[in-house]
Amino acid sequence: MTRTALLLASAAVLSFATPAFAQSMQGMDHSKLPGMAKPEKPAPPTSAPPPSDCTPEHAQMGHCTMQADKPVAASPPPEAVVDPDCPPEHAKMGHCTPKAAADPVAEMSKTGTDLPPGDAPAPAPPDDWYADRIFPAGEMEHARHEMMKENGAQTTAFLSFNLAEYQVRKGRDGFRWDGEGWYGGDINKITVKSEGEGAFGEGVEDAEIQLLYSRAIDPYFNLQAGIRQDLGPGPKRTHAAVGFEGLAPYWFEVEGALFVSNKGDVLGRLEGYYDQRITQRLILQPRAEFNFALQDVSESAIGSGLSDVELGLRLRYEIVKEFAPYIGVEWAKKTGDTARFARAAGEDTDVTSFVAGIRFWF
């Protein structure tokens, strides 16, 4: 009986305790119990940031923050330039070396003489004269005109005697001159030439003077045209003259002319000399002159063909550039029908002379 009373009492206690235990379990955090951790929720997807309206001025005032620049995609490496004269397979065998590729930036920055040769038109000259902003326009125009004159457009005069000498020869001693003067610019000139010879006690035997218009046809040669007047005891013929004068390759001074007289006679002349510098002041000058005629000119004792030849060798000493005394020797010979005329007149056909003279110019 006692045991039955105890069982009934325990059952009554358990029936009252069960609702209280359930209420206490409702307030507990079950996620902290072992094996009861809840899975984390996935982060919501982020959308791309909108374009930034933050200007540098607003960013400096702290109103916003500028977005960092997007990374620049790396550009693909440039393709290797293949030299057509040296393909890679030949270069590997050591047969050639490819040319280095030209730097396009360096090529675009080239100017003036750095540019490759070609026939491209020259760049326009600069027209911004800074001094025009300070000085009057008339004064500047005058200054530019004078500058251009002094750099190639000036007018000058020149006079020279390549030969002015005393000749010691068989029979009577003689003299000879050969001079030229001109006035003008680099392109156009008026030229006067004169040459002649004679014997002391007999006067001038042969002389002439030429008045020519001279025009430069290139940096070294002038084309000349004008008239020639014969002087001396012979016939006073007037000739139309055309010729050239200049500096040939290897520094040979050459001169040639064709003359047509008022009687229809046609004559020609070719001469040249070379200055062989031995020292800075001592110069050896070989010289040659040839005269031709298309027909016999009996009044002047000139035969057709090669009429005469003159060969000379002179050694001069330049005290200054403008004044140089010299000594030398000259051999002159008349040929063909000209020699026949000379023999008929009782003259020698060839003459050797020792000469002494002065070469000067100013």
Side-chain angles (χ1 to χ4, degrees):
M1 188 65 177
T2 303
R3 293 179 181 179
T4 302
L6 291 173
L7 289 173
L8 292 174
S10 299
V13 172
L14 289 174
S15 61
F16 287 106
T18 300
F21 178 75
Q23 291 179 355
S24 64
M25 291 296 289
Q26 290 179 352
M28 294 179 63
D29 186 1
H30 296 179
S31 63
K32 293 181 179 180
L33 296 176
M36 298 298 288
K38 297 181 179 177
E40 295 182 356
K41 296 182 179 179
T46 57
S47 59
S52 176
D53 296 331
C54 184
T55 60
E57 295 78 7
H58 289 181
Q60 289 180 354
M61 291 184 287
H63 297 169
C64 58
T65 302
M66 294 187 65
Q67 293 182 353
D69 295 337
K70 295 182 179 179
V72 179
S75 58
E79 298 181 357
V81 178
V82 178
D83 185 357
D85 297 331
C86 185
E89 53 274 17
H90 288 189
K92 289 181 179 178
M93 291 185 286
H95 295 170
C96 60
T97 302
K99 296 178 182 177
D103 185 358
V105 177
E107 292 294 327
M108 294 179 63
S109 62
K110 287 183 177 179
T111 59
T113 55
D114 294 335
L115 294 171
D119 55 356
D127 56 357
D128 51 339
W129 303 91
Y130 186 82
D132 286 349
R133 308 175 191 176
I134 303 174
F135 301 100
E139 294 294 332
M140 288 306 305
E141 187 63 28
H142 175 71
R144 282 192 286 271
H145 178 71
E146 292 298 320
M147 182 189 68
M148 295 301 293
K149 285 179 59 179
E150 294 173 359
N151 286 273
Q154 69 269 30
T155 301
T156 56
F158 179 81
L159 177 63
S160 71
F161 273 82
N162 193 34
L163 300 179
E165 62 190 23
Y166 183 93
Q167 297 185 333
V168 180
R169 59 195 181 197
K170 183 180 178 181
R172 289 183 179 274
D173 293 345
F175 56 88
R176 182 181 180 184
W177 75 89
D178 184 350
E180 174 182 345
W182 53 261
Y183 177 80
D186 292 340
I187 305 299
N188 302 304
K189 299 183 181 72
I190 295 296
T191 301
V192 178
K193 297 181 180 180
S194 179
E195 65 177 78
E197 60 184 354
F200 290 101
E202 297 179 357
V204 174
E205 297 174 348
D206 185 20
E208 67 179 48
I209 187 170
Q210 300 180 38
L211 178 62
L212 305 170
Y213 163 70
S214 178
R215 180 174 177 81
I217 55 176
D218 69 9
Y220 300 100
F221 275 89
N222 296 320
L223 186 64
Q224 299 174 332
I227 59 172
R228 161 189 161 182
Q229 179 63 49
D230 289 345
L231 306 174
K236 304 298 187 293
R237 299 282 173 82
T238 301
H239 302 74
V242 59
F244 66 92
E245 183 181 54
L247 184 64
Y250 301 101
W251 302 97
F252 283 93
E253 295 278 357
V254 296
E255 180 180 352
L258 185 67
F259 308 102
V260 180
S261 74
N262 56 339
K263 299 295 184 180
D265 306 323
V266 179
L267 308 176
R269 178 179 299 157
L270 182 63
E271 58 182 305
Y273 62 86
Y274 180 78
D275 283 348
Q276 176 60 56
R277 191 171 294 275
I278 300 174
T279 67
Q280 292 296 321
R281 294 178 180 271
L282 195 63
I283 295 103
L284 183 66
Q285 184 190 80
R287 178 186 180 88
E289 178 177 329
F290 304 89
N291 287 283
F292 305 88
L294 188 62
Q295 66 293 304
D296 288 345
V297 186
S298 56
E299 295 85 352
S300 302
I302 297 175
S304 60
L306 178 63
S307 56
D308 63 83
V309 178
E310 295 179 1
L311 302 177
L313 188 64
R314 293 169 175 82
L315 181 66
R316 73 173 185 268
Y317 182 80
E318 290 184 344
I319 300 175
V320 292
K321 293 292 184 183
E322 297 85 355
F323 186 82
Y326 65 84
I327 58 173
V329 60
E330 182 183 86
W331 176 72
K333 181 174 179 58
K334 297 177 180 178
T335 62
D337 290 338
T338 305
R340 179 172 56 84
F341 286 129
R343 284 191 292 268
E347 300 176 356
D348 295 330
T349 58
D350 63 284
V351 178
T352 301
S353 304
F354 296 96
V355 303
I358 298 172
R359 180 180 187 268
F360 63 94
W361 59 268
F362 55 87

